[in-house]
Amino acid sequence: MSRLAGKTALITGSTSNIGRAIAEAYAAQGAHVVVSGRDDARAHEVVERIRAAGGRADYVRAELDGTPEASRALAREATAILGGRIDILVNNAGIFPPGTTLTVEEDTFDRVYAVNVKAPFFLTQTIAPAMIDAGGGVIINLGSWVARLSVPVGALYASTKGAMETLTRAWSAEFGPRGVRVNAISPGVIRSGDQAPGTRTPGDTMMHGTPAGRLGTPEAIAAAAVYLASDDAEFVHGTVLDVDGGRTGVAVIAEPVAARV
């Protein structure tokens, strides 16, 4: 059965990795999706993959720089392409420049908050009222495991994802009673789609000592996004769903010992 048949969806940052996997999964479940991002070549590849598989997809180029105008322009164009309504919004686009607290410059700070927090804030500000007027909708934000299990690098990025998880709960309180479900997914360490199989990275080390014991895949996040967008999650509000192989909640400190006879 198609869990999203007849639905429309806008996924930001959907030309690669997690966003691309969500767009493809939504289309496979019957949704008409708008792929958005800045890389025209990659975007057209995603759209063609979806169409070749029998799905419906279109591309809207978006430079989400944090200005209300940029977010409103994307919402306006996506709404027109999707026949006048957006049923599902996935706030996925984000940037993670390297650096520590001691090395981050002000322009980097402002840029990361603009893309990771301001852009989804103003996009939600624009789209949520239309969802309410249409009788309901779904908003899914992307958080991160580093928002709650701190590491000594990436404080700036982690703080933006903490902000998105907080906004998830705030928006759920604000919009939930008016028919718009708001939830978030907190991915663990995810293997890049262009990473060669068998290649070890620092991420593999981060997943050592977890129940999964390995990196996650974009498809695992996409499966969670399908669930949260579907009617199966109709009683789920204001939740941050950890899809992280147990990274934030569990520590495996020893190998299981066989029971003695």
Side-chain angles (χ1 to χ4, degrees):
M1 294 179 62
S2 297
R3 299 165 78 183
L4 303 178
K7 301 294 185 181
T8 61
L10 167 61
I11 305 100
T12 67
S14 47
T15 62
S16 63
N17 296 331
I18 289 174
R20 177 177 62 195
I22 293 173
E24 291 179 352
Y26 278 9
Q29 290 295 327
H32 181 184
V33 303
V34 162
V35 173
S36 73
R38 298 175 297 175
D39 190 317
D40 294 347
R42 291 197 304 188
H44 289 305
E45 180 184 347
V46 176
V47 168
E48 289 309 311
R49 281 166 55 107
I50 290 172
R51 291 176 177 175
R56 298 181 66 195
D58 291 282
Y59 169 51
V60 175
R61 194 177 198 282
E63 182 73 44
L64 294 176
D65 57 6
T67 61
E69 293 77 16
S71 292
R72 290 167 188 161
L74 172 59
R76 183 169 55 250
E77 191 169 350
T79 299
I81 287 175
L82 294 172
R85 76 180 200 279
I86 297 173
D87 297 315
I88 305 160
L89 167 64
V90 181
N91 287 313
N92 169 72
I95 56 175
F96 185 179
T100 65
T101 300
L102 301 183
T103 62
V104 168
E105 301 288 345
E106 183 181 11
D107 61 340
T108 299
F109 184 101
D110 291 342
R111 183 165 57 92
V112 174
Y113 261 85
V115 175
N116 292 11
V117 181
K118 286 185 68 179
F121 184 95
F122 288 114
L123 192 57
T124 298
Q125 182 189 76
T126 304
I127 291 175
M131 288 180 171
I132 293 168
D133 290 344
V138 174
I139 298 171
I140 300 171
N141 299 320
L142 268 291
S144 172
W145 68 278
V146 297
R148 278 167 290 131
L149 183 62
S150 299
V151 294
V153 294
L156 176 59
Y157 175 81
S159 70
T160 66
K161 289 305 180 179
M164 289 309 298
E165 293 188 7
T166 296
L167 283 171
T168 296
R169 293 182 285 271
W171 286 339
S172 181
E174 185 174 356
F175 303 131
R178 293 187 277 177
V180 179
R181 289 194 297 107
V182 186
N183 292 288
I185 301 170
S186 177
V189 189
I190 303 300
R191 183 176 295 278
S192 170
D194 55 8
Q195 185 177 326
T199 304
R200 286 195 61 82
T201 70
D204 292 280
T205 301
M206 291 181 185
M207 290 304 292
H208 180 71
T210 66
R214 60 173 176 80
L215 296 178
T217 65
E219 289 73 23
I221 310 305
V226 168
Y227 162 68
L228 288 176
S230 74
D231 290 342
D232 292 338
E234 56 89 18
F235 202 54
V236 181
H237 290 262
T239 292
V240 178
L241 178 59
D242 293 326
V243 186
D244 63 4
R247 173 72 277 179
T248 56
V250 182
V252 178
I253 59 176
E255 295 291 15
V257 177
R260 296 188 180 184
V261 178

